[in-house]
Amino acid sequence: MLRKTIKTSMVQLAIFLLYVGGVLLHGTLTDWQPEEDLPVDVYAKSNKTIIEDSIISLAIWNMGYAGLGEESDFFFDSGGFFMSNGKMIRASEKSVQKNLDGAELFVKSTEADFFLIQEVDLNSRRSYYTQQLDSLRAQRPDYAASYAANYRVGRVPIPVLEPWRAYGKVEAGIASLSRWQPTAERRLQLPGSFDWPTRIFQLDRCLLISRFQTVSDKELVVINAHLSAYDKGGVLKKQQMAFLQQLVTAEYEKGNYVIVGADWNQCPPFFPFDTFSPGKTDGYTQSNIAADFVGEDWQWLYDPTVPSNRKLRSIYDPENTFRTVIDFFLISPNIRALKVKTLDQQFRFSDHQPVWVQLELL
């Protein structure tokens, strides 16, 4: 009996090791490694070519691929690399449709000249292969629309010990919609990556940089970004921030207007990360951007009264869920901030909330 048990265990172990080896081999052979500078995917163009207005508005939102609404308790936020432990791996198809309906309503009803959106799925198992950019741009058919992929994996195998429930295929990225037609757009790869084998199943972070002609001799440079998460010690974010610092400084020194709208996965300078949940951090911490990241005349624009992000260890509970601010704008000194507000959706459609600003080009 003991010998039979040992034999059965050995067979099970061999099958498991073959499975893991196969997953790693497939992931390594199919690992997408984008070039540092690539064209974006253009989905629509605008007939408007020159920004004649001095007052413009922008909205940013990490829409959470329509899979992380108020009902979500995401397994990976609870450390579920091997087992889901009863947490959500994928939202139900009904929930995804509810969240996507919310994203469509946001784009249709928000008065903004630019929409900078992160975590947009095009063909992913986690969101039932919904073509989310098509849904969003249909709400603004006269806007230019572009897309830069940052997550392209044939099969994400986690949780490892539940292969029949694995996360699966992901094709996702960041999308920018604009009232005016960009004169040029590029996908710029951000530096840094996780060690193997983690990197073959993780995001390839990037910037979507769009240039617009204004009535002055300045270009308007709008940067859509989504910096690293699950980055222990902030090693990757430090590299990405250094890259971004050089980029925005160089553009401003050329005389251009510069706007960065992002999910920074870190708090603005000096903002207390536990502002909305003092004493109820649930073990979370959040780093701050360094105060000297750019010159004193640059501005960080965020709404300190409304959280932009909530954590996902449990379904949303406004009394106990940890919330903070990690979604906001950076603007160059030749731009004046007029208004900024976070649109409080009570995290119904995503684990992030949209942030809207009104600006004046000086």
Side-chain angles (χ1 to χ4, degrees):
M1 180 64 72
L2 179 59
R3 182 176 297 178
K4 184 177 180 180
T5 300
I6 293 173
K7 184 178 179 179
T8 300
S9 299
M10 293 296 290
V11 170
Q12 291 173 339
L13 178 61
I15 292 172
F16 174 71
L17 292 176
L18 281 172
Y19 166 72
V20 172
V23 165
L24 293 177
L25 178 62
H26 176 265
T28 301
L29 293 176
T30 60
D31 183 24
W32 181 52
Q33 299 183 37
E35 297 175 16
E36 292 183 0
D37 187 342
L38 290 170
V40 301
D41 296 330
V42 176
Y43 276 70
K45 294 185 176 182
S46 170
N47 292 325
K48 296 184 177 182
T49 56
I50 301 176
I51 300 176
E52 298 178 346
D53 306 317
S54 61
I55 308 297
I56 61 172
S57 56
L58 302 91
I60 56 172
W61 190 28
N62 181 331
M63 63 176 283
Y65 59 87
L68 298 174
E70 61 187 342
E71 66 286 337
S72 298
D73 57 349
F74 190 47
F75 78 105
F76 204 60
D77 256 36
S78 298
F81 182 82
F82 292 102
M83 297 286 290
S84 63
N85 297 314
K87 302 289 185 177
M88 184 204 83
I89 298 174
R90 287 178 295 277
S92 69
E93 192 166 2
K94 181 179 179 181
S95 292
V96 168
Q97 188 58 57
K98 179 265 293 182
N99 297 332
L100 185 54
D101 289 344
E104 292 175 0
L105 179 62
F106 158 70
V107 173
K108 184 176 183 178
S109 63
T110 303
E111 288 302 318
D113 299 312
F114 302 85
F115 293 89
L116 310 181
I117 306 177
Q118 300 88 38
E119 292 195 15
V120 181
D121 270 8
L122 296 192
N123 189 24
S124 301
R125 185 186 181 195
R126 63 186 182 179
S127 57
Y128 303 91
Y129 305 101
T130 49
Q131 301 298 313
Q132 295 175 0
L133 183 51
D134 287 343
S135 298
L136 299 180
R137 67 186 183 88
Q139 313 309 311
R140 296 281 179 171
D142 56 336
Y143 276 40
S146 56
Y147 167 86
N150 66 9
Y151 201 7
R152 184 172 288 168
V153 180
R155 186 176 188 272
V156 179
I158 57 176
V160 174
L161 298 181
E162 298 177 51
W164 60 93
R165 302 182 66 206
Y167 204 56
K169 178 184 177 182
V170 180
E171 168 65 48
I174 54 181
S176 295
L177 284 69
S178 56
R179 186 183 300 276
W180 297 279
Q181 178 61 33
T183 58
E185 293 185 284
R186 302 299 295 178
R187 180 199 186 277
L188 300 183
Q189 180 69 26
L190 286 167
S193 64
F194 292 96
D195 293 333
W196 187 91
T198 303
R199 69 167 180 263
I200 63 180
F201 305 117
Q202 273 284 357
L203 285 77
D204 294 279
R205 305 281 180 169
C206 68
L207 307 176
L208 197 169
I209 179 169
S210 306
R211 298 178 180 275
F212 299 88
Q213 184 179 354
T214 71
V215 291
S216 72
D217 58 352
K218 301 180 179 71
E219 278 189 312
L220 171 62
V221 179
V222 178
I223 300 171
N224 183 352
H226 185 189
L227 275 64
S228 285
Y230 306 109
D231 174 20
K232 189 174 182 180
V235 175
L236 301 184
K237 279 196 285 288
K238 289 176 183 176
Q239 298 177 58
Q240 295 164 2
M241 292 294 285
F243 178 89
L244 188 57
Q245 179 191 49
Q246 292 181 358
L247 176 64
V248 300
T249 301
E251 290 294 342
Y252 177 60
E253 288 176 350
K254 295 175 186 176
N256 294 330
Y257 302 110
V258 183
I259 301 171
V260 184
D263 171 359
W264 301 83
N265 272 309
Q266 53 198 320
C267 294
F270 304 117
F271 182 79
F273 81 98
D274 59 349
T275 293
F276 304 103
S277 307
K280 296 182 180 180
T281 62
D282 197 22
Y284 284 102
T285 60
Q286 201 84 60
S287 61
N288 291 84
I289 294 173
D292 61 353
F293 174 71
V294 282
E296 293 181 358
D297 293 337
W298 291 71
Q299 285 185 268
W300 301 98
L301 302 183
Y302 60 96
D303 183 347
T305 67
V306 180
S308 74
N309 170 248
R310 69 101 167 179
K311 304 309 178 185
L312 289 158
R313 286 181 183 159
S314 61
I315 62 174
Y316 181 59
D317 175 359
E319 297 298 322
N320 296 300
T321 299
F322 181 73
R323 300 160 296 157
T324 191
V325 170
I326 59 175
D327 307 89
F328 45 93
F329 290 87
L330 173 66
I331 61 172
S332 55
N334 51 3
I335 303 175
R336 178 182 293 129
L338 301 178
K339 297 178 183 177
V340 56
K341 62 179 179 180
T342 298
L343 308 181
D344 194 353
Q345 302 173 335
Q346 289 295 302
F347 299 100
R348 184 180 179 193
F349 307 116
S350 173
D351 58 327
H352 292 255
Q353 303 205 105
V355 182
W356 177 91
V357 293
Q358 186 181 67
L359 308 173
E360 182 180 7
L361 306 179
L362 301 177

